[in-house]
Amino acid sequence: EDISLKEALAKLKPEQALIINMKVLSEMTFAEISKELNIPMGTVTWRYREAIKILRRYGYDETT
């Protein structure tokens, strides 16, 4: 059973949820997120990928 984005985000660490929010909801690029949060782009992409893995485990599909 699929869960809502809000429910899925509650499963993430705050820094992961923030990146998902910025990427998915605000449609920012990884470069924009990196600049906004003042962290390396590699860190942004790594946190994003880890967060997506967790979300998929709970049944959330970012394409829906």
Side-chain angles (χ1 to χ4, degrees):
E1 173 180 317
D2 288 347
I3 61 174
S4 72
L5 180 58
K6 185 176 180 181
E7 290 170 318
L9 288 173
K11 309 287 186 187
L12 301 176
K13 295 177 186 172
E15 63 270 15
Q16 292 172 324
L18 177 61
I19 289 172
I20 293 292
N21 270 312
M22 295 172 87
K23 179 73 175 152
V24 177
L25 302 178
S26 300
E27 298 182 351
M28 295 173 72
T29 66
F30 288 126
E32 291 169 334
I33 295 168
S34 171
K35 186 174 181 181
E36 178 78 21
L37 299 179
N38 198 29
I39 58 176
M41 195 161 74
T43 302
V44 173
T45 57
W46 183 83
R47 287 181 183 168
Y48 178 80
R49 283 194 309 267
E50 290 299 305
I52 290 297
K53 283 184 204 171
I54 293 166
L55 294 178
R56 284 187 182 138
R57 206 173 300 144
Y58 287 103
Y60 176 73
D61 179 358
E62 75 269 22
T63 61
T64 58

